[in-house]
Amino acid sequence: MKRASTIIAGVVLALAVAWALDLAFPLPPTPQYSPIVLTSDGTVLHAYLNPTQKWRMKTELREITPVLRKAIIEKEDRWFRWHFGVNPVALVQAAGRNAFGKGRTTGASTITMQVARLLEPKERTFGNKLLEMLRAMQLEAHYSKDEILQLYLNLVPYGGNVEGVKSAALLYFQQPPDYLSLAQTVTLAIIPNRPRGLVLGRNNAAVLQERNRWLKRFGEAGLFPQQDVEDALLEPLDVQRHAAPTLAPHLSRRLVRQFPRQAIIRSSLHRSKQSKAEDLTRNYVRRLHELGITQAAVLVVNNRTRQVEAYVGSADFRDFGSQGQNDGVVAVRSPGSTLKPFLYALALDRGLVTPKLLLPDVPTNFQGYRPENFDKHCNGEVTLERALAYSLNIPAVRVLNQLGVPTFTDKLRQAGFQNVTRNRARLGLSSILGGCGATLEELTNLYVTLADGGQHTALHLTSSPERKPPGEATTALVSPAAAFLTTDILSQLTRPDLPLNAASSMRLPKVAWKTGTSYGRRDAWSIGYNRQYTIGVWVGNFSGQGSPALTGSDVATPLLFDLFNALAYNSPNDWFVPPATLDFRLVCAESGLVPGENCPNQIIDYFLPNRSSGQRCQHQREVLVSADGSFTYCRACAPAAGYRRELYPNLLPEVAAYKEAQGIPYRRLPPHNPQCQLVRGGAERAPSITSPTANTEYVLNAREQQQLLLSCTTDSEVRQVHWYVNDRFVRTAAATERVFIRPPAGQLKISCADDHGRNADVVVTVTELE
């Protein structure tokens, strides 16, 4: 009993000492691996040197095939599975050979001891050998046999700065370890003992001879089937060192920075799509160089999973002259007109518009902001669907003015637009025309949202399940009905931004898309989607330099179509279907509103029940006209007889002014009864001064004799207006006439009175430059 207690006490003491030594002398830190970025199927996409400038890529346990495991253990340490880090029998045999000089001098190192030496390289002495044994036993206490073998395969040298079996497999055979043949596997198994003598690519003949020798030994030992060994012996060895994979450099750099301590990062990219997108972008931009256009960026997103399947940050990462290392996917640029579809979708949801609703497209002053269309021309009145398909600026600003800038920017904040979120307090109506900052990633995801029925969630740059996780947070930015109507408009082919000859091409993809061009032609955008994919394209220069040829339709859309044809050519031919929340109704063809009493021409339009406005059309109004048609009556001055009732266009003042200025004929209301004594100076019908803008300072150059423009909009019955400066009469002009004056410097009161006695005033300041 006493002896048993002594033994137990001794064991406990030994364990305590071992535990104390383990704490006092912890294992060396795990090796610093070369960060590698994988595709979604596990293929290496991009590899980087580790901090010590070595290629040391981490081999995962699943990549250690039975063939590799058998070859390494048979060659290096056949008793690996049974010993505890040190093989006593091998130590005795090695000591005998070394002492009596018989046979090859060896150190009897097990695989675990070699791992200890590779983790802590030291000079080969007897004392260091003892420390190596202790470290080996310590490793065995901390790691499983498979993990120790994995460490060994990650650390073994292959000459130069190549370490680890995965690095060697990729750099020499361009395959991961689990894809190698028997001959290739044995080749990598035999090199670590002689990394300087057996160098692949330089000593292939010596490597081949040694490989075949070991293949025969393995065959004689029955390690592999004889037929497999014979086939492996016939396999040639003609290898050379290749460059490490360098696809998707921008995304790879981004992910490595995002996960700095991760040796293996599995991205969401598809290798074939990424390679094709890079090639198409590089070759396409090469043809644009003579136009002064040097860069492009592309993002391809799977709408179902929200995974990014191709990510091209620039046309050529190595093009330092064109700043190719900049990432165009995350660069903040002016979005041009690419936000218009989202604005109209929001307006559809708020009931402000429907597809057939007519919007004024005439020169308009929005509290001092006067937008112009891209082609500098106006169209009078256009339907919403035409305004979006033709990317007209003035109707878009009008709708944003109705919706409200804060409402619009708050939705963009929910959509993850970071620059808009930071600057939302300073943004105005110009934001819909590119007066804000956005990235290709943010814009593309906004179009993914439209493709997904208005549901928004973040894009995935790393691999995730095939479908969006059930618990993943989503935000309903717009309704499915508004998203469908927007998609329906964007898929129309009758539009000016369709590339030349594309309509007659058999390779025109079925997509909904929108283009955009920033001010100064610095950025060209084209973003499109179908049921399966959304692709965003930006083309321009990272320097910000513009080019006359840089427009979304001429430069970005051809690349977008090429990408769809190359990457989504086998997509199912299904298309978006109207949701149950949409319905049809008859509307007046002249206004797009619910027909009133005087609307004989009616058409069918989509609408959102309980959301779309039910306002009745009043595009014509009944007027009391004298018998000879020379003037009109109001209810107060109409005679008992001698007049007739007629219908006249009920135009907005700015639309009437546009028609007058352009000489467009329309049925104009006769002047009012001059004998009418009713005071009709209500402010609601007074002239509206469109120039100059109230409370604005105007700086005029006296040497150039610059002048100030006076203009206004009035009711259609107004024929003349009278202009005053500081209550002094200037001149009488036609209601639509543009008047130019040379005003005195200082604060001025500009007044306009119409021929019905109604007036309006604005105050401005004029400063003269000598």
Side-chain angles (χ1 to χ4, degrees):
M1 191 72 176
K2 185 177 180 180
R3 181 178 299 175
S5 299
T6 304
I7 293 173
I8 293 172
V11 171
V12 171
L13 180 63
L15 291 173
V17 171
W19 178 74
L21 289 172
D22 186 61
L23 289 178
F25 302 98
L27 284 171
T30 53
Q32 294 178 301
Y33 291 109
S34 299
I36 56 174
V37 179
L38 308 181
T39 60
S40 58
D41 65 357
T43 307
V44 177
L45 190 70
H46 201 107
Y48 294 89
L49 289 164
N50 76 351
T52 61
Q53 299 302 297
K54 291 182 179 179
W55 291 111
R56 186 191 290 147
M57 303 177 201
K58 185 177 181 180
T59 306
E60 297 181 274
L61 285 171
R62 63 173 181 78
E63 295 178 305
I64 304 175
T65 62
V67 171
L68 178 59
R69 185 180 290 108
K70 287 180 184 179
I72 287 291
I73 292 176
E74 177 68 21
K75 180 178 179 298
E76 296 293 334
D77 185 4
R78 67 177 61 180
W79 302 104
F80 172 67
R81 294 289 180 187
W82 288 273
H83 62 66
F84 195 69
V86 178
N87 187 342
V89 176
L91 282 175
V92 172
Q93 291 175 344
R97 283 196 297 269
N98 295 341
F100 298 105
K102 293 184 178 180
R104 183 170 59 89
T105 301
T106 63
S109 291
T110 62
I111 287 177
T112 314
M113 291 169 65
Q114 292 184 61
V115 171
R117 184 171 66 249
L118 291 168
L119 285 172
E120 287 183 304
K122 289 185 176 68
E123 186 181 352
R124 296 201 176 193
T125 64
F126 181 74
N128 287 340
K129 193 71 172 181
L130 291 176
L131 289 175
E132 191 178 295
M133 294 179 192
L134 293 172
R135 281 294 193 199
M137 290 186 284
Q138 191 180 13
L139 284 167
E140 292 279 350
H142 282 270
Y143 297 106
S144 68
K145 288 290 185 180
D146 284 341
E147 289 172 333
I148 292 171
L149 182 61
Q150 181 188 18
L151 270 174
Y152 173 77
L153 292 174
N154 283 326
L155 293 169
V156 288
Y158 282 91
N161 66 341
V162 181
E163 292 185 1
V165 69
K166 187 168 187 173
S167 302
L170 284 170
L171 295 176
Y172 290 110
F173 296 111
Q174 296 184 291
Q175 296 284 355
D178 50 340
Y179 277 73
L180 298 180
S181 66
L182 173 60
Q184 292 169 335
T185 301
V186 171
T187 300
L188 296 185
I190 64 171
I191 291 177
N193 290 128
R194 296 170 57 192
R196 291 197 179 98
L198 300 176
V199 179
L200 284 169
R202 287 192 305 192
N203 312 110
N204 284 350
V207 175
L208 178 64
Q209 183 179 351
E210 188 69 6
R211 182 202 74 180
N212 290 345
R213 184 172 73 85
W214 277 99
L215 276 170
K216 291 174 183 176
R217 286 184 60 174
F218 292 154
E220 292 168 0
L223 205 64
F224 307 116
Q226 194 60 41
Q227 185 59 51
D228 291 352
V229 172
E230 291 177 5
D231 292 342
L233 287 169
L234 297 175
E235 188 174 314
L237 183 66
D238 182 19
V239 297
Q240 58 182 355
R241 180 164 171 175
H242 301 274
T246 56
L247 280 175
H250 298 89
L251 177 64
S252 299
R253 180 180 61 187
R254 179 175 171 181
L255 291 177
V256 167
R257 289 174 176 173
Q258 185 177 348
F259 305 102
R261 295 178 181 84
Q262 208 162 309
I264 300 174
I265 304 167
R266 189 181 294 271
S267 76
S268 59
L269 300 190
H270 288 206
R271 185 183 183 88
S272 60
K273 289 185 174 68
Q274 178 66 28
S275 180
K276 191 69 177 176
E278 287 189 14
D279 290 344
L280 279 172
T281 305
R282 181 171 52 255
N283 293 332
Y284 183 77
V285 170
R286 190 176 293 139
R287 301 196 298 269
L288 300 178
H289 271 254
E290 61 183 17
L291 301 176
I293 303 169
T294 61
Q295 285 299 348
V298 169
L299 200 65
V300 179
V301 181
N302 185 309
N303 296 335
R304 183 167 54 88
T305 63
R306 295 289 176 122
Q307 290 188 348
V308 174
E309 296 190 355
Y311 185 117
V312 183
S314 71
D316 186 353
F317 187 79
R318 291 174 291 276
D319 185 358
F320 293 95
S322 299
Q323 305 173 38
Q325 294 193 336
N326 287 352
D327 189 348
V329 172
V330 297
V332 177
R333 314 287 299 191
S334 167
S337 297
T338 54
L339 293 174
K340 288 176 182 174
F342 187 59
L343 167 67
Y344 287 124
L346 291 174
L348 286 163
D349 264 341
R350 295 297 176 99
L352 300 176
V353 294
T354 52
K356 302 294 186 186
L357 179 71
L358 262 69
L359 301 172
D361 180 29
V362 297
T364 310
N365 183 342
F366 297 95
Q367 300 89 47
Y369 178 54
R370 297 185 182 87
E372 291 183 324
N373 290 328
F374 186 76
D375 60 1
K376 309 296 184 184
H377 292 95
C378 295
N379 301 276
E381 290 181 296
V382 295
T383 62
L384 178 143
E385 56 188 1
R386 183 178 175 87
L388 177 54
Y390 279 67
S391 195
L392 300 177
N393 292 340
I394 298 173
V397 174
R398 179 177 291 273
V399 171
L400 178 58
N401 192 43
Q402 286 182 271
L403 180 70
V405 174
T407 301
F408 182 61
T409 55
D410 185 62
K411 284 291 185 179
L412 291 179
R413 177 191 60 79
Q414 295 178 43
F417 280 65
Q418 296 182 8
N419 188 269
V420 170
T421 301
R422 285 193 297 267
N423 300 302
R424 56 186 301 207
R426 298 194 295 271
L427 295 178
L429 294 174
S430 64
S431 58
I432 194 59
L433 306 182
C436 60
T439 68
L440 178 61
E441 184 174 337
E442 293 166 347
L443 289 169
T444 304
N445 197 17
L446 196 62
Y447 282 72
V448 177
T449 299
L450 292 175
D452 197 19
Q455 295 296 315
H456 177 272
T457 189
L459 298 181
H460 301 304
L461 299 176
T462 54
S463 288
S464 59
E466 278 301 306
R467 292 187 177 273
K468 288 180 287 189
E472 187 175 28
T474 59
T475 304
L477 294 183
V478 296
S479 68
F484 170 79
L485 291 177
T486 306
T487 299
D488 191 50
I489 297 170
L490 293 180
S491 59
Q492 295 177 9
L493 296 180
T494 305
R495 51 198 289 180
D497 59 353
L498 185 67
L500 192 64
N501 299 325
S504 60
S505 171
M506 294 296 291
R507 290 183 56 79
L508 179 65
K510 174 65 174 175
V511 294
W513 85 98
K514 181 71 183 74
T515 61
T517 305
S518 68
Y519 179 77
R521 302 200 178 198
R522 295 180 174 91
D523 306 277
W525 305 86
S526 191
I527 308 173
Y529 57 94
N530 57 20
R531 288 291 296 271
Q532 283 69 41
Y533 296 101
T534 297
I535 301 178
V537 172
W538 168 85
V539 180
N541 297 302
F542 287 138
S543 64
Q545 182 179 353
S547 168
L550 201 58
T551 63
S553 57
D554 295 336
V555 171
T557 300
L559 178 56
L560 177 75
F561 286 179
D562 287 347
L563 288 162
F564 265 109
N565 286 326
L567 304 181
Y569 63 92
N570 59 350
S571 293
N573 214 10
D574 58 340
W575 191 245
F576 301 91
V577 295
T581 51
L582 264 184
D583 207 344
F584 294 101
R585 70 182 180 187
L586 287 171
V587 297
C588 175
E590 306 298 328
S591 66
L593 295 173
V594 177
E597 296 179 357
N598 304 307
C599 299
N601 301 321
Q602 298 178 14
I603 56 176
I604 294 176
D605 189 18
Y606 278 113
F607 80 108
L608 281 68
N610 302 320
R611 291 196 185 186
S612 297
S613 170
Q615 179 185 348
R616 293 280 176 177
C617 175
Q618 295 180 343
H619 79 281
Q620 295 189 100
R621 60 173 173 166
E622 187 180 75
V623 179
L624 305 180
V625 184
S626 62
D628 61 359
S630 59
F631 52 86
T632 62
Y633 298 111
C634 65
R635 299 293 177 182
C637 68
Y643 65 86
R644 62 178 186 270
R645 300 175 186 270
E646 292 189 10
L647 295 175
Y648 279 85
N650 188 20
L651 300 176
L652 290 173
E654 55 265 39
V655 175
Y658 171 76
K659 289 179 179 288
E660 286 282 348
Q662 298 296 316
I664 300 174
Y666 72 99
R667 195 176 183 207
R668 186 166 182 179
L669 196 67
H672 191 67
N673 176 16
Q675 305 301 320
C676 180
Q677 300 300 315
L678 183 66
V679 178
R680 305 172 59 246
E684 71 278 7
R685 304 184 66 185
S688 174
I689 298 176
T690 57
S691 177
T693 304
N695 303 315
T696 303
E697 181 181 7
Y698 289 85
V699 180
L700 305 180
N701 192 315
R703 292 184 180 179
E704 297 180 4
Q705 298 186 348
Q706 290 182 334
Q707 296 178 311
L708 187 66
L709 169 65
L710 306 181
S711 64
C712 66
T713 59
T714 64
D715 274 354
S716 58
E717 61 191 35
V718 174
R719 291 291 184 270
Q720 292 182 327
V721 293
H722 313 286
W723 290 99
Y724 299 83
V725 176
N726 290 337
D727 296 325
R728 291 192 175 189
F729 177 72
V730 176
R731 59 167 290 193
T732 297
T736 58
E737 185 179 349
R738 294 156 63 91
V739 176
F740 291 90
I741 64 170
R742 293 189 61 190
Q747 191 174 70
L748 304 179
K749 175 186 174 185
I750 308 292
S751 304
C752 178
D754 65 16
D755 50 15
H756 291 355
R758 301 168 296 198
N759 62 81
D761 304 319
V762 296
V763 176
V764 298
T765 302
V766 173
T767 303
E768 283 193 349
L769 293 179
E770 296 297 334

